[in-house]
Amino acid sequence: GTDSCLFITNLGGSASGLEEKGLAVDGYQGTAVVAGSTNSGDFPVSASAYDSTQNGGTDAFVATLLEPALAVTTNAATSVYSSSATLNSTLTSKAGAASVSMRFEYGTASGSLTSNTGWDTVSAAVPYAYPKALTGLTPGTTYYYRAVVSNYYLYGTVYGAELSFTTPAAAGPTVTTTAASSVTTTTASSGGNVTAMGSDPVTARGVCWNTAG
């Protein structure tokens, strides 16, 4: 598919006399060089072209094509609780590679992200949503993080922007108890309401009772 296509372009102008004379690809530098001739007076050129105008019936040209660079976007963290959070990112370019490696780097000091989530291999088509859950965080602490994508031998390593989130201080939920009703010699009904969730999700609900008070 086009996700693995390194170079694609449409060279030419309004005239039809375009001839490709040579093609070279430098996989390490990520460039392709096309040489040929054209008789088109509006052949597209860049601002840095050696000669930007047609100088006769047929002109020679050399065009350099750059493959897309690796690209990743760091997104806002979600499900932020007192000791856990989910980091999010979007891989927007694999630079034509079949697969890349991704991870998050994070820490409690901006610019010093000393922890990481470990590398995952990503071969899916882009754009690709890449989340990662963190656990064991410290309550009431600001964490800084960024997404990282790498294909070291061909394309190097690219970093997303650094973002941050703050874990809330640990706090339990608040509940109210409903008065017992429908009381018989052997049964009764009761319950309650969770009026505040606290710093973390409520995972279980129930009623406790005894005869001693």
Side-chain angles (χ1 to χ4, degrees), residues 53-78:
T53 59
Q54 186 183 22
N55 296 309
T58 301
D59 279 0
F61 72 86
V62 177
T64 301
L65 310 178
L66 300 178
E67 67 182 0
L70 291 173
V72 65
T73 301
T74 309
N75 300 327
T78 55

Side-chain angles (χ1 to χ4, degrees), residues 8-114:
I8 185 169
T9 189
N10 179 23
L11 283 173
S14 58
S16 59
L18 175 71
E19 293 187 29
E20 176 197 321
K21 303 296 185 179
L23 172 66
V25 176
D26 184 345
Y28 184 78
Q29 295 295 327
T31 60
V33 179
V34 181
S37 62
T38 178
N39 62 2
S40 179
D42 57 356
F43 186 84
V45 296
S46 65
S48 59
Y50 176 78
D51 187 350
S52 61
T53 59
Q54 186 183 22
N55 296 309
T58 301
D59 279 0
F61 72 86
V62 177
T64 301
L65 310 178
L66 300 178
E67 67 182 0
L70 291 173
V72 65
T73 301
T74 309
N75 300 327
T78 55
S79 301
V80 178
Y81 302 117
S82 65
S83 60
S84 63
T86 298
L87 307 183
N88 298 287
S89 68
T90 303
L91 176 65
T92 56
S93 172
K94 294 191 297 179
S99 64
V100 295
S101 298
M102 293 190 69
R103 73 180 185 183
F104 287 97
E105 296 176 344
Y106 65 98
T108 56
S110 177
S112 180
L113 310 181
T114 56

